[in-house]
Amino acid sequence: MASKVIQAIYNDDDVLMLAVKRVKEAHHHIEEIYTPFPVHGLDKAMGLAPTRLAITAFMYGCVGLTVAITMMNFIMIEDWPQNIGGKPSFSFIENMPAFVPIMFELTVFFAAHLMVITFYMRSRLWPFKKAENPDVRTTDDHFLMEVSLNDNEDELTRLLVDTGAVEVKVSEKH
């Protein structure tokens, strides 16, 4: 079911920030904001929860470290121990200094690659996905704020024009 939203277009990020604050103060629900570049502080002004991607990065790094330790212990100690340069391979602890670079690299490898996959899945970005941008000007130099309509079109239009919107229109949200 499609619902109606009002789209306000701004041409300055500072004006947009002030508009977001005024719209939130008036207790209207902002559906989405489209910007050509990251606007610092916009997530806080919109009242969005902080991201938990850093926690997942740490967990992915721990998975990489576990895989590295398990792999090296199996390959170099249990499965095929070799006497390289007179250094015995009887235990993992004796050889740990040589294994540190491998543990570091696999930790970073797992964290980086799994974070990219998590980001794309969380953002619902996948190959051949149709763009959801309602106005192509937001990829160049304009900012667009979508606000839900609840039988308050005239009041909301006046508010958005007062906040500095250069263009206001009503459209269907799918």
Side-chain angles (χ1 to χ4, degrees), residues 25-131:
E25 286 171 2
H27 304 292
H28 295 290
H29 176 66
I30 298 174
E31 291 284 334
E32 189 65 67
I33 295 181
Y34 299 91
T35 63
F37 53 82
V39 178
H40 299 289
L42 187 59
D43 52 345
K44 187 175 274 192
M46 287 179 63
L48 298 177
T51 181
R52 294 183 303 268
L53 284 177
I55 297 168
T56 59
F58 176 74
M59 291 189 311
Y60 293 153
C62 289
V63 168
L65 181 63
T66 304
V67 167
I69 291 171
T70 305
M71 178 190 74
M72 289 182 302
N73 187 52
F74 178 74
I75 293 172
M76 298 300 290
I77 306 301
E78 294 176 18
D79 185 41
W80 197 346
Q82 297 180 36
N83 189 345
I84 301 171
K87 297 178 182 173
S89 297
F90 298 127
S91 71
F92 184 81
I93 299 297
E94 288 177 327
N95 294 297
M96 181 126 102
F99 294 159
V100 168
I102 299 167
M103 292 187 297
F104 173 76
E105 291 298 330
L106 280 179
T107 300
V108 172
F109 178 85
F110 270 70
H113 286 78
L114 292 175
M115 279 301 298
V116 168
I117 293 168
T118 301
F119 174 76
Y120 284 141
M121 288 175 61
R122 178 68 181 96
S123 301
R124 294 188 182 108
L125 294 173
W126 43 79
F128 311 110
K129 182 179 185 226
K130 186 178 176 285

Side-chain angles (χ1 to χ4, degrees), residues 10 12-25 30 33 35 38-46 143 145 163:
Y10 297 88
D12 185 17
D13 58 335
D14 293 328
V15 174
L16 173 74
M17 284 293 290
L18 294 173
V20 168
K21 291 175 184 172
R22 284 193 52 198
V23 169
K24 292 303 276 184
E25 286 171 2
I30 298 174
I33 295 181
T35 63
V39 178
H40 299 289
L42 187 59
D43 52 345
K44 187 175 274 192
M46 287 179 63
F143 305 85
M145 180 186 345
T163 61

